[in-house]
Structure formats: C-alpha cells, structure tokens
Amino acid sequence: MPVTTCVFDAYGTLFDVSAAARRAAEQTGQDQLAAIWPKLAADWRLKQLQYSWLRAVTGTYVPFWQVTKDALDWAMEAAEIDDPVLRETLLALYWELPAYKEAHTVLALLKATGFNTAILSNGSPEMLDGAVDFSGTRESLDAVISVDDVKIFKPAKAVYDLVEKRLGATPQQVLFVSANGWDAAGAAAYGFQTAWINRASEPVDRLPGVPGHILPDLSGIPDLAGTL
C-alpha cells in the first residue's frame, strides 16, 4: 500500500530547538550564556525528553509547556545561572523556533506532489501554533496534532493512533519522520513506515522498533516518500 501521508515530529525535526539558547546568547550582556549556551540547550532538551517519558510511564501528564519550563529550570540551576529575566527570554524564544533550512522546501514539495502532511508532536497546541506561525510552515501542513488530545506523551500507542483518527491514513500509508531516534523506533514498532533524521550521526537505539530509513537531513524525504 503506497504512502499517502507524511507525518513529522516537530521539535528537533522541523524546528531547531537549540535556537532559543543560541539567540539569547547573542543578545547584549549575555557573556556568561554565550560561553555555555550549547551545554544549556542540550541539558534543557534532555530534561524535557526525560520528564516527558517519566510522566508518560507514571501517568502524571501535564502540558508540554510545563515540562519545558521545568526542564529549563533544571538546566539553568545546573549551569549556576540565577536570572529570572533570562529565563523569561529563553521561554519566549521557544515560541519562535525557526524551521531547519530545508524544511520549507520539503513540505512544499510534498504538498505539490499530492502527499498529505502533518505534525504529530508532544508540544502543547499553543506552542505548536507559535512555532508553525513563526516558521511560516502552516500553509504546507494539513494538520497539526498534539498529544494533548490524549494526555500522554510519545512513544505511547495512543499518540500514534491519532494519525489515523485525524487523517484517515492507515499505518502502512504513513511515512513518519523524526529526528529523535527513540521516536522513530516507537513509530516503527507501531507499524508506520519510518525515517530517522540522524543529523548527529548517532548509533541506532537498541529498541524493539528499528527505523526503516536513516537520512542526514530532511531533504531526501520527498524522494523517499515517492518510492514507498
């Protein structure tokens, strides 16, 4: 059964999650942050993911915006930064994450060649609206789907179920694209055809699901979708 629908993870896949810390570090007077922003960005992202997994397995869901704030608080304390103004700046910038440079072309090409396109993300609906509008990708998306509909985070089965419920595509008709190896593995185990965007050339996660395809960036997705 050929692929009809390309579903993308949002954070780290379409949108550059390190951009908030990088842009804050470029502001005047942020010498301390400028020296450590890559580490802070990495810690922020790691804790964001860890908290989402722990909340999923313990059944203690809160919107992803709360998870994002909690993760930033941990990262700032670990970096020994006590700056409420900087905290608010970083959080504000997280609503304005840019898309990766190839994302616009890829989404537009998929739409032009007849594929349905969507986001399936842990992000809160308001966060996703901010990212989609800021990045200018809304016109190339048929749907923006948040886990908030089922109140549990990826890689729970109920999250991936949302694709067929919202878009009417069976798992075999879906190419799921994520830059998170664990997410690509979860989607593969669910039954989606999968592409892992492995920008950092990391090893494949030792999990039951194995990504069907591994690409260095998003640019190969239209050709891949056309062959499946």
Side-chain angles (χ1 to χ4, degrees), residues 90-114:
L90 287 164
L91 290 172
L93 288 170
Y94 209 88
W95 289 69
E96 299 178 350
L97 297 177
Y100 284 98
K101 61 182 180 181
E102 74 274 18
H104 293 90
T105 300
V106 167
L107 290 171
L109 185 55
L110 288 169
K111 288 297 297 174
T113 50

Side-chain angles (χ1 to χ4, degrees), residues 11-125:
Y11 297 110
T13 302
L14 290 177
F15 308 126
D16 182 0
V17 293
S18 67
R22 183 176 66 247
R23 291 172 63 197
E26 293 169 351
Q27 296 181 0
T28 302
Q30 291 297 340
D31 294 345
Q32 181 183 6
L33 181 61
I36 64 160
W37 76 261
K39 178 68 163 58
L40 184 135
D43 285 347
W44 187 5
R45 177 59 172 165
L46 179 60
K47 283 297 172 182
Q48 188 187 50
L49 293 174
Q50 288 177 343
Y51 290 166
S52 72
W53 298 329
L54 290 168
R55 286 188 173 279
V57 298
T58 58
T60 52
Y61 178 84
V62 294
F64 198 59
W65 184 234
Q66 183 62 52
V67 173
T68 300
K69 291 189 289 186
D70 291 343
L72 176 59
D73 289 342
W74 188 97
M76 290 185 69
E77 183 174 346
E80 299 183 345
I81 297 176
D82 182 9
D83 186 338
V85 174
L86 175 59
R87 178 182 185 271
E88 293 307 309
T89 297
L90 287 164
L91 290 172
L93 288 170
Y94 209 88
W95 289 69
E96 299 178 350
L97 297 177
Y100 284 98
K101 61 182 180 181
E102 74 274 18
H104 293 90
T105 300
V106 167
L107 290 171
L109 185 55
L110 288 169
K111 288 297 297 174
T113 50
F115 290 98
N116 296 318
T117 59
I119 284 173
L120 177 66
S121 173
N122 278 343
S124 306

Side-chain angles (χ1 to χ4, degrees), residues 137-151:
T137 53
R138 188 174 295 279
E139 290 186 359
S140 297
L141 293 165
D142 293 298
V144 179
I145 306 169
S146 168
V147 303
D148 202 56
D149 289 349
V150 289
K151 302 293 190 291

